[in-house]
Amino acid sequence: MDDIDLKIIGLLALDAKRSLADIGGSVGLSPSSVNERIRRLTASGAIRQFTVDLDPAAMGVQTLVFVWIALREDADEAAFRDYAARHPLILECHHVTGAWAYLVKLRVGAPPEIEGFLAELKAHRYLGRSETVIALSSPVPGPFVPKES
Amino acid sequence: MDDIDLKIIGLLALDAKRSLADIGGSVGLSPSSVNERIRRLTASGAIRQFTVDLDPAAMGVQTLVFVWIALREDADEAAFRDYAARHPLILECHHVTGAWAYLVKLRVGAPPEIEGFLAELKAHRYLGRSETVIALSSPVPGPFVPKES
DNA sequence: CGTGAAATCGACCGTAG
DNA sequence: CTACGGTCGATTTCACG
């Protein structure tokens, strides 16, 4: 993982459809060398996957929501993590330091849908307390990659 | 934007390197029709870009951090948003409801680096109060796409 | 939206530094 | 061990029906 690898990764992050010849011209290598490096980066797991960054609005999920969660004392934590991993709306779920146990990031079409999500969590007996935060605007939105349905 | 478009997007999200013929086989269209749909989706902005999802650990930024921020009363909010957009460590920045004004998500190599980040915010006279939360583990990590340097 | 042809691209090889 | 150039097969792309 040298400077050239980092440069290649930077170029791919901006546009993964650039040709090997094009990338090679930018980093000073032949297309086949670039190909070999990308192959290695992918095989080693540094590049997890080639994907697409989508516009949330076009996908009908304009509303970005963060939910801080404290699990019920009798909740099955492993089951909750598995549930989060499978839930199509949950884009991220992190076990965090501080007053709350988990931070969940999700996207919905509109705020009223959040209620259903929380009800679902409650029905599964995961939810102790929670606090919901809605993004009003996003100076740095970050990429949006939907989860497999 | 019909069901087939959604299906194509779902396939591309999982693996953007699949051939048009392969995708066509999965959705029941010819390669050229799939190509035309992807071209339209890209032109309309629904697909923002083709990119790569990376392993944060391989990139040397294992530590995921969320920082709640209340700006100083005399802070230039537009300047802060611009600063956040340009900052290479800041992956996301959202203006949010609730007690705090902004939620910032960033990745660093290790926790001590957070201190430098906060000091930088303070030096620019943006930072009023803040609260830092570190992710211990991530049941649903979400994709990692670095920002252009 | 599908078919076909043409141009381009990517994968794999042997070879060299 | 990594880079290079050439070849072949696959893929994208475009005009047309």
Side-chain angles (χ1 to χ4, degrees), chain A residues 69-72 75-76 79-80 83 121-128:
Chain A
I69 292 177
L71 295 183
R72 280 171 58 118
D76 180 347
F80 168 72
Y83 168 81
L121 274 182
K122 216 166 178 177
H124 281 81
R125 307 208 158 253
Y126 295 133
L127 196 57

Side-chain angles (χ1 to χ4, degrees), chain A residues 34-99:
Chain A
V34 174
N35 187 37
E36 172 63 11
R37 280 173 179 264
I38 293 177
R39 192 197 60 75
R40 263 203 304 270
L41 288 168
T42 306
S44 74
I47 296 178
R48 287 200 286 223
Q49 62 174 349
F50 286 75
T51 185
V52 284
D53 173 21
L54 304 172
D55 177 15
M59 302 295 292
V61 285
Q62 297 108 341
T63 307
L64 176 61
V65 185
F66 293 92
V67 182
W68 297 95
I69 292 177
L71 295 183
R72 280 171 58 118
E73 294 204 4
D74 61 347
D76 180 347
E77 200 156 341
F80 168 72
R81 284 200 284 260
D82 195 64
Y83 168 81
R86 295 182 200 287
H87 199 296
L89 293 180
I90 295 181
L91 302 175
E92 300 179 23
C93 176
H94 309 284
H95 189 200
V96 291
T97 61

Side-chain angles (χ1 to χ4, degrees), chain A residues 53-54 56 105 107 138-144, chain B residues 48 91-94:
Chain A
D53 173 21
L54 304 172
K105 170 181 167 182
R107 283 191 171 276
S138 296
V140 188
F144 170 57
Chain B
R48 288 200 285 225
L91 302 175
E92 299 178 24
C93 176
H94 309 283

Side-chain angles (χ1 to χ4, degrees), chain A residues 28-30 32-33 37 40:
Chain A
L29 284 180
S30 71
S32 52
S33 298
R37 280 173 179 264
R40 263 203 304 270

